[in-house]
Amino acid sequence: MNEKYYLFIVLAFVSEIVGTVSGFGSSILFVPVASLFFDFKTVLGITAVFHVFSNIAKIALFRSGVHKGLVLKLGIPAVIFVIIGAYITTFFPVTQIELIMNMMLVLLAIYLILNFNRPLQQTNTNLYAGGIASGFIAGIAGTGGAIRGITLAAFQLQKNVFIATSALIDLGVDFSRAVVYTSHGYFKKEYLFLIPFLIGISFLGSYTGKIILRYTSETVFRYIVLGVIILTATFQIMKYFGD
């Protein structure tokens, strides 16, 4: 196996831990990290497949409760719009989509830092809007977990319920876009050997994150995560304009 894949696997493992502890989902860090190793459409395909396993792991590890009402109101719009977003990627130039993704990540991370302690109101309108926005962005840019996290945060769920509910919604989102991406050749056969590693990373990373959650301040950790996202995405934007 090529040396770059070993580094990718290590960074994917770190992303899974970060995603579990931060509550945003690992895609917000995994997508810019994977972009360092693969072309953008491959990143979308690998991310979707990886997160199917990742969400199954979280549901298994944090199965103390799922808020069914939130799953339906936030999840159904997310699944519908992730399919729309995923199909859009098949019609537009990849480089422009990748640039938009990295700009969105930077803006979203800055927004989260500035509004860290300002939760949304607990309304059905915000749930539907959050589902639409998180699904569409996940479909077109590979990551929508932060928006889903902002929306769910308004309901002040217990930690385990929050993660399990978010993971169940994300499972529907990722499975839906994985079908679209793989049917359009985004996950190439040459990368099938990564699947066993991605499965192992999903469970080991989620379990490690669960342990860290017992001893770590989520607030401090989220700030660190957002800082890393800004740096990584900014690097990709500079790389785009430097080419």
Side-chain angles (χ1 to χ4, degrees), residues 8 12 14 37 64 70 102 107 141 149 185 187 197:
F8 167 71
V14 173
F37 299 89
S64 59
L70 294 179
N102 285 299
L107 292 174
F187 196 108
F197 294 100

Side-chain angles (χ1 to χ4, degrees), residues 109-119 150 223:
I110 293 172
Y111 172 83
L112 289 169
I113 290 174
L114 296 177
N115 296 274
F116 200 86
N117 295 312
R118 299 177 190 174
I150 294 170
Y223 277 122

Side-chain angles (χ1 to χ4, degrees), residues 116-129:
F116 200 86
N117 295 312
R118 299 177 190 174
L120 298 176
Q121 292 183 341
Q122 297 183 18
T123 65
N124 286 335
T125 300
N126 283 338
L127 279 174
Y128 301 141

Side-chain angles (χ1 to χ4, degrees), residues 96-174:
Q96 279 85 347
I97 295 176
E98 186 173 14
L99 176 63
I100 291 170
M101 175 205 74
N102 285 299
M103 288 180 170
M104 287 171 61
L105 283 173
V106 172
L107 292 174
L108 183 58
I110 293 172
Y111 172 83
L112 289 169
I113 290 174
L114 296 177
N115 296 274
F116 200 86
N117 295 312
R118 299 177 190 174
L120 298 176
Q121 292 183 341
Q122 297 183 18
T123 65
N124 286 335
T125 300
N126 283 338
L127 279 174
Y128 301 141
I132 290 170
S134 63
F136 185 74
I137 292 175
I140 200 169
T143 175
I147 293 177
R148 185 176 59 256
I150 294 170
T151 307
L152 286 175
F155 292 83
Q156 300 177 336
L157 304 173
Q158 291 183 353
K159 197 181 300 180
N160 284 1
V161 177
F162 180 98
I163 294 175
T165 300
S166 180
L168 186 56
I169 294 169
D170 207 19
L171 180 60
V173 168
D174 286 319

